[in-house]
Amino acid sequence: MTTTNPALAAALEAASTGDPRRYVITGGPSSGKDDLIEAVHAAGIPCMAEEPGREIYRKHRERLGRHLLKEDRREYSLEVLDAFVTEYTAHTGGIRFYNRGIPDGYGWEGFFGLRPAPQLEQATRRYRYDAIFVLDPLDTFEDPDDIVWAKDREIRRVHELIVQGYYDAGYEPVFVAPDSADARLDFICANLRLPKPSRGARSR
């Protein structure tokens, strides 16, 4: 069910005519990100629908007939980067949440033993976000492809590499503790001084 807090809706409307404000939600596999993104949409907050990397990964996998290996990662990563830049530049005003961000590339390339591509470093300097929210890991996988990207024993390493990538890019991430998706979204909105979606919510 889609719900909205009238105070939040008013705040989003007031911000819509102002400068773009971009907020990233990220974290390693098994972080609860999908559920949180769903809650963001349900609250009526503008947000990316799905992280580009997953669909692009599926296309590469279908073309190759197998999961991606290290030697396939550069082409894949650059295609994902292009998708993130397109998503970034398309937003010209108001508040928008992002399902991962450009600096996530540092973590994934590091996990697969690759040095950051020059295109990634250039994009990271040019396209800046206003806040980064990192979800601490949960206990379950969200997507079958997560098993390929990071097996259970590797979840922590992927998470740490993603976090380090944002620090290296000059950000100070805000960490979001494990909790329900609604509680996490309330925490994020409070951090941004936006009305909490759970307060005064009504169906629409």
Side-chain angles (χ1 to χ4, degrees):
M1 179 183 294
T2 300
T3 62
T4 185
N5 177 341
L8 175 59
L12 295 171
E13 178 64 25
S16 66
T17 57
D19 292 336
R21 292 157 62 186
R22 301 177 175 92
Y23 307 122
V24 171
I25 295 173
T26 188
S30 187
S31 64
K33 186 168 59 62
D34 288 355
D35 289 342
L36 179 54
I37 293 296
E38 184 177 338
V40 172
H41 283 285
I45 303 172
C47 181
M48 290 173 64
E50 182 176 344
E51 63 177 274
R54 286 186 173 177
E55 182 58 31
I56 293 172
Y57 187 95
R58 294 182 189 118
K59 290 179 179 178
H60 278 257
R61 185 182 59 194
E62 290 172 4
R63 176 176 59 83
L64 294 168
R66 57 171 171 75
H67 286 294
L68 273 64
L69 303 177
K70 179 179 178 178
E71 56 266 28
D72 308 313
R73 298 295 303 191
R74 183 66 78 197
E75 179 183 356
Y76 161 77
S77 296
L78 291 177
E79 189 172 340
V80 172
L81 175 60
D82 285 343
F84 273 111
V85 170
T86 298
E87 182 79 24
Y88 183 104
T89 56
H91 180 57
T92 58
I95 291 169
R96 187 169 181 80
F97 280 82
Y98 291 80
N99 190 339
R100 299 199 184 280
I102 290 169
D104 271 72
Y106 285 98
W108 288 111
E109 291 193 6
F111 179 72
F112 287 96
L114 300 173
R115 294 183 61 83
Q119 297 93 323
L120 173 60
E121 295 183 322
Q122 181 181 23
T124 298
R125 290 191 297 268
R126 181 173 182 181
Y127 304 110
R128 304 295 295 177
Y129 300 97
D130 295 284
I132 309 299
F133 295 95
V134 175
L135 306 184
D136 287 337
L138 303 176
D139 296 326
T140 58
F141 285 104
E142 301 173 294
D143 186 280
D145 287 331
D146 286 344
I147 302 295
V148 176
W149 292 346
K151 296 178 182 178
D152 185 58
R153 66 181 180 276
E154 298 167 332
I155 290 175
R156 178 58 60 181
R157 174 165 169 74
V158 176
H159 181 80
E160 290 173 350
L161 286 169
I162 289 173
V163 171
Q164 188 59 52
Y166 278 94
Y167 278 123
D168 291 345
Y171 292 101
E172 291 289 338
V174 176
F175 293 91
V176 184
D179 208 332
S180 69
D182 289 341
R184 283 175 146 184
L185 182 54
D186 278 351
F187 171 83
I188 288 171
C189 286
N191 187 279
L192 298 174
R193 298 186 178 180
L194 291 171
K196 294 181 179 180
S198 67
R199 291 188 178 177
R202 65 188 181 195
S203 300
R204 64 182 178 124

